[in-house]
Amino acid sequence: MIARQSRAFRVARLAAAQKRTPETDRTLGILLAAIAGSLNAGGFLLLSQYTSHMTGHLSNMSGGVVFSNLIMLLDSLAAVTGFVLGAALSAAMIAWGQLNHSRLCYALPLGVQGVLLAALALISTLPDGLEHRIAIINVCFVMGLQNATITRISGARIRTSHATGLITDMGIEIGRSLYRLVSPRSGIVADTGRLWLYVQLVVAFIVGGILGAIGHGMIGWNFAIPPGLALIALALWSPRHKSREEATA
């Protein structure tokens, strides 16, 4: 039991490290999926919309054009722009880290996300009209930053800010598994490890959403402070420790 806890502690400690393993990718993905679920639930409660749902914002942009609703068009355009800029910043920071062989390669975007999450608590001090719009842009920026970061870290195997892709991938692996049961000689092989990863991510998203709905409903944006501080701590902690592969190199 102690050895298992020690291993789990080590994996968590290296979750934002430069050298990656499937375990550290999974650990970080689960954490980020829970945070995304929480932020989505909080966004719906406080802003009346799901902030990572770029499909919805693109549809609203179309509706704004068709119905000549300039406010709808500009609000949705700002949300999409925030998401894109967040993803772009993540890609730029990771590219810088890789080119310079920096231990901050993945820790830096996670730290920035943590700061932005914690800063959400300050949004309530803004005037009502400005508060709503700044909050949407900030949260969408965070979602884009997070999704791009885990996508780059995991080699596009993991995405966390929205569950459509996760559930699609789950369905694919379930379908392959069922087909193999019906036709074992077909040569179709299901990746049960990948299926289990998707299940964990979806469950983390749901649990995060439940906690986020409760927490944001009780204390508003202040509920984003704990996950923000957790990401900041992870970003500061991981680069200071070497993975087993680095230690033996």
Side-chain angles (χ1 to χ4, degrees), residues 1 3 21 38 40 43-44 50 61 82 86 93 97 111 133 135 137-138 156 166 173 176 195 197 204 209 231:
M1 177 63 72
T21 68
S38 174
N40 261 292
F44 183 75
Y50 292 112
M61 287 172 59
M93 287 189 291
R133 288 183 169 83
I137 294 172
N138 188 30
L166 291 177
E173 295 302 332
R176 291 172 65 88
L195 175 58
L197 170 64
L231 287 179

Side-chain angles (χ1 to χ4, degrees), residues 189-246:
V189 179
D191 191 335
T192 55
R194 183 173 296 224
L195 175 58
W196 175 233
L197 170 64
Y198 296 143
V199 170
Q200 290 177 300
L201 293 172
V202 170
V203 170
F205 193 96
I206 293 172
V207 172
I210 293 172
L211 295 176
I214 296 172
H216 286 290
M218 293 176 61
I219 60 175
W221 289 120
N222 289 327
F223 192 72
I225 294 177
L229 294 179
L231 287 179
I232 293 171
L234 193 65
L236 293 173
W237 195 21
S238 291
R240 300 177 61 185
H241 299 85
K242 291 185 178 182
S243 66
R244 186 169 299 172
E245 291 80 0
E246 290 178 288

Side-chain angles (χ1 to χ4, degrees), residues 40-111:
N40 261 292
F44 183 75
L45 283 174
L46 301 175
L47 304 171
S48 301
Q49 56 185 290
Y50 292 112
T51 49
S52 71
H53 189 46
M54 292 299 107
T55 304
H57 287 297
L58 290 175
S59 297
N60 281 341
M61 287 172 59
S62 302
V65 172
V66 171
F67 298 112
S68 301
N69 189 328
L70 184 60
I71 299 300
M72 178 189 294
L73 173 61
L74 292 179
D75 282 348
S76 295
L77 178 60
V80 173
T81 301
F83 193 97
V84 171
L85 290 178
L89 178 60
S90 171
M93 287 189 291
I94 291 175
W96 171 86
Q98 290 175 334
L99 288 173
N100 291 278
H101 306 287
S102 173
R103 286 175 174 267
L104 299 176
C105 181
Y106 302 123
L108 188 57
L110 291 173

Side-chain angles (χ1 to χ4, degrees), residues 24-40:
T24 54
D25 285 352
R26 180 173 61 250
T27 299
L28 183 60
I30 290 172
L31 172 63
L32 293 181
I35 292 175
S38 174
L39 205 52
N40 261 292

